[in-house]
Amino acid sequence: MTLDAHDKLLETVLQEYKILAEYERLQTEDLGGIYVTPSYENPFLWFGVIFVRTGVYKDGVFRFTITLPSRFPNDSAVPIVTFQSEVFHPLVNPNDGVLDLSEAFPKWQSGDNHIWQILKFVQAVLQNLDDHTIQSGNVANNEAYELLMENRTEFVIRAEQCVEESQQKIYEQPAQPDRFYICFDQFNPDVHGPALQSMKENKTTEVTTPPSSGLSWVRKGVYQPLSK
């Protein structure tokens, strides 16, 4: 191995370690209702889903991806958050689903900025929209912004339509299969019942289920993930 190849390999290993450290750091933050995992095939692509608990998007189950820049985290370019279904929101581009992050992250500052902060921002703009002041310069969906400012009733109707659509897509599989894609099974009493009962009884005993199904599911009409 040449010196240049060795340096390149070391650089790649260090970068992947930093990305892994970002992921592990998520475990220490209060990100209730948000689930994220890096792609098995590509460490620069992360899969995410948020179960919205309050606000006009309550009960929405919105899938999204986070795409990291090629030199992350040593790059001023900000990661890209892209929603996989329509989110009628002033900060979400209706054409490609990209969330405008420029308000909170005008540029990425390595060491100061972290992925968990992006997830907190996603959480804030969906769950606490009324408490969030949107600057006109950051608007990505003019129609949503105008309705929010001038016709609250119509805006809420459009937001609720997005919530309903997201619920209908919760069990969909990715267009390109990935081993780490976040999937949910519909509740099956035979498979998930023992795990649910164990949770209710606060037991830690092992529950036997088919290995292909795991213990993650969403009950219809509840839209809250339950997992062992």
Side-chain angles (χ1 to χ4, degrees), residues 52-220:
V52 184
R53 296 174 172 176
T54 61
V56 296
Y57 301 97
K58 182 180 179 181
D59 292 332
V61 186
F62 298 110
R63 292 186 180 277
F64 60 89
T65 59
I66 302 176
T67 305
L68 307 181
S70 60
R71 296 183 60 249
F72 181 88
N74 302 318
D75 194 322
S76 61
V78 179
I80 299 173
V81 174
T82 307
F83 287 99
Q84 304 304 295
S85 62
E86 181 184 1
V87 180
F88 189 73
H89 192 289
L91 297 180
V92 179
N93 190 308
N95 298 316
D96 55 17
V98 172
L99 174 65
D100 189 300
L101 298 173
S102 59
E103 171 193 334
F105 307 94
K107 68 176 182 178
W108 195 257
Q109 298 180 334
S110 180
D112 292 330
N113 294 145
H114 301 281
I115 298 299
W116 70 264
Q117 294 169 329
I118 290 181
L119 297 178
K120 280 286 192 180
F121 184 78
V122 172
Q123 194 175 54
V125 299
L126 289 178
Q127 296 192 158
N128 307 107
L129 180 59
D130 292 332
D131 299 330
H132 192 86
T133 302
I134 298 175
Q135 303 298 327
S136 58
N138 301 126
V139 171
N141 186 330
N142 289 320
E143 181 184 10
Y145 181 71
E146 290 174 2
L147 287 179
L148 177 63
M149 295 293 102
E150 303 172 7
N151 191 338
R152 171 80 177 193
T153 300
E154 180 63 24
F155 176 83
V156 171
I157 291 175
R158 296 287 296 276
E160 290 176 344
Q161 290 174 347
C162 294
V163 170
E164 292 178 4
E165 179 185 349
S166 73
Q167 294 171 352
Q168 295 169 1
K169 295 184 175 182
I170 188 172
Y171 302 113
E172 287 187 355
Q173 298 297 312
Q176 297 182 341
D178 188 285
R179 187 180 300 182
F180 289 167
Y181 186 77
I182 302 174
C183 297
F184 297 99
D185 292 334
Q186 295 191 49
F187 183 80
N188 183 327
D190 295 332
V191 175
H192 306 116
L196 177 59
Q197 187 61 34
S198 178
M199 288 175 169
K200 289 180 177 179
E201 297 175 357
N202 196 28
K203 292 181 178 179
T204 58
T205 54
E206 182 178 355
V207 180
T208 303
T209 61
S212 61
S213 65
L215 288 177
S216 294
W217 70 90
V218 174
R219 285 188 289 180
K220 185 176 181 180

Side-chain angles (χ1 to χ4, degrees), residues 3-68:
L3 182 59
D4 288 343
H6 179 272
D7 290 344
K8 183 64 176 178
L9 176 61
L10 179 60
E11 180 181 350
T12 300
V13 171
L14 289 175
Q15 184 180 28
E16 291 182 352
Y17 175 81
K18 291 178 181 179
I19 292 175
L20 178 61
E22 282 287 330
Y23 179 67
E24 291 182 340
R25 186 162 186 166
L26 300 183
Q27 314 305 316
T28 65
E29 303 299 329
D30 180 15
L31 297 169
I34 300 182
Y35 300 82
V36 180
T37 182
S39 163
Y40 178 79
E41 303 290 343
N42 179 7
F44 295 92
L45 176 65
W46 292 22
F47 302 115
V49 59
I50 177 171
F51 289 75
V52 184
R53 296 174 172 176
T54 61
V56 296
Y57 301 97
K58 182 180 179 181
D59 292 332
V61 186
F62 298 110
R63 292 186 180 277
F64 60 89
T65 59
I66 302 176
T67 305
L68 307 181

